[in-house]
Each structure stands twice: as C-alpha cells, then as structure tokens.
C-alpha cells in the first residue's frame, strides 16, 4: 500500500474536460481496489470529512468572537 509510481499526466485547458477525466481516473482506480481497501478508503474519507467539518465549525465560532 506504500508503493509510489511516478506517472506522466496530461492536464487540459478546459477545466470541465480535466475534471471529467480525473473523475474517470478516480473511478478506474476505485475499481482496482480490493473490498477491504475500498472499505478502508471509505472510512478514511468519512473521518477526514468529519474532521474538516469540525474545523470549519471551530473557525466560524472563533471568527464570531467565541459567540454561538
């Protein structure tokens, strides 16, 4: 799981086409994972989203002078 392989990529000028190709690459990468790896990735993703949400709430709290 710690393997790193350098690759040469293409980035398109059109942001829509670039995003579409990255989404296709993402789905292709997900399909190559085992079920255990997919589950681990999903758990990692959900934890990250939760932490980011908690941080955003904290920042809103602090930007509001500590008032709810």
């Amino acid at each position: 799981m710690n393997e790193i392989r350098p690759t040469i990529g293409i980035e398109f000028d059109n942001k829509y086409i670039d995003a579409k190709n990255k989404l296709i690459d993402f789905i292709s990468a997900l399909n190559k994972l085992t079920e255990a790896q997919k589950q681990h990735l999903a758990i990692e993703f959900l934890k990250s989203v939760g932490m980011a949400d908690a941080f955003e709430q904290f920042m809103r709290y602090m930007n509001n002078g500590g008032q709810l």
Side-chain angles (χ1 to χ4, degrees):
M1 208 188 247
N2 292 331
E3 298 173 11
I4 297 175
R5 185 174 10 147
T7 60
I8 298 172
I10 298 173
E11 199 164 311
F12 296 92
D13 289 337
N14 185 324
K15 297 299 180 189
Y16 174 81
I17 293 173
D18 190 43
K20 186 170 124 179
N21 286 321
K22 287 180 181 182
L23 182 61
I24 291 169
D25 289 343
F26 171 71
I27 292 170
S28 176
L30 280 180
N31 288 334
K32 293 177 184 175
L33 296 178
T34 65
E35 288 303 315
Q37 289 172 324
K38 288 178 186 178
Q39 185 177 20
H40 183 72
L41 182 62
I43 291 168
E44 228 177 275
F45 175 75
L46 291 175
K47 285 181 181 178
S48 296
V49 169
M51 289 171 54
D53 186 51
F55 181 72
E56 284 182 30
Q57 288 180 10
F58 176 73
M59 291 303 296
R60 274 188 253 128
Y61 175 77
M62 294 306 291
N63 287 335
N64 194 26
Q67 302 295 316
L68 293 175

